[in-house]
Amino acid sequence: MRFFIVLAALFLFLLAACSKTNNISKIPQISALSLFPDSIKAGSSQDTVYLQFHFRDGDADIGNDPNGTNYDIFVIDSRHNDTTGYFFPPITNAIKDPSVGLEGDCTVIILAALIPVDSTKQLDTLHYTVYMQDQALHHSNVLTTTNLYIHQ
């Protein structure tokens, strides 16, 4: 009987000594990418395109210095393969905890007036490819939006 008590005590001691580890990947991940609206007027100062996605980063090292040259979010226009970089807004260090990671939702705002258009086309179509990068320069997975239709 004593053997079982000692064995149970040893098991409980080992169980208590185990520390919880962060199992979230240190490489950022994005999911649930959406684009809206799906149609805008070419060059419109009134129209805005919104790209939304959910992100997770296991070591919470996202959010580069906006004064630097390392962007956080990359959006590629399918028509010309042009890449535009965006910064996350400042993320306070109080919520950046590498032991639990960081996750949230992000919205990228693209003004329709800044989307290049071909004036010879009555209707143009594109989609965006999106990924993010953390401070350690890890690239996330890559997702593609549905089509965006641009009309004159």
Side-chain angles (χ1 to χ4, degrees), residues 8-109:
L10 181 59
F11 177 74
L12 288 175
F13 176 76
L14 289 174
L15 187 62
C18 292
S19 63
K20 294 182 180 179
T21 58
N22 178 351
N23 292 327
I24 302 172
S25 173
K26 292 181 181 182
I27 298 173
Q29 296 291 311
I30 61 174
S31 60
L33 177 64
S34 64
L35 171 140
F36 63 91
D38 65 354
S39 176
I40 60 170
K41 183 174 181 189
S44 171
S45 61
Q46 307 273 326
D47 288 348
T48 303
V49 176
Y50 300 91
L51 297 175
Q52 290 186 326
F53 60 89
H54 184 79
F55 68 87
R56 291 179 74 173
D57 187 36
D59 57 2
D61 68 339
I62 61 169
N64 291 304
D65 178 11
N67 298 321
T69 57
N70 293 328
Y71 292 105
D72 305 309
I73 304 162
F74 297 87
V75 177
I76 304 166
D77 183 325
S78 64
R79 297 169 302 167
H80 313 337
N81 232 12
D82 293 335
T83 302
T84 304
Y86 296 90
F87 293 109
F88 272 108
I91 301 172
T92 177
N93 286 334
I95 63 170
K96 287 185 172 185
D97 184 352
S99 66
V100 295
L102 184 65
E103 72 177 290
D105 295 311
C106 179
T107 301
V108 176
I109 299 171

Side-chain angles (χ1 to χ4, degrees), residues 39-42 117-125 149-152:
S39 176
I40 60 170
K41 183 174 181 189
V117 294
D118 183 346
S119 60
T120 64
K121 294 182 178 180
Q122 287 297 314
L123 180 65
D124 203 356
T125 305
Y149 302 98
I150 304 170
H151 57 89
Q152 294 292 337

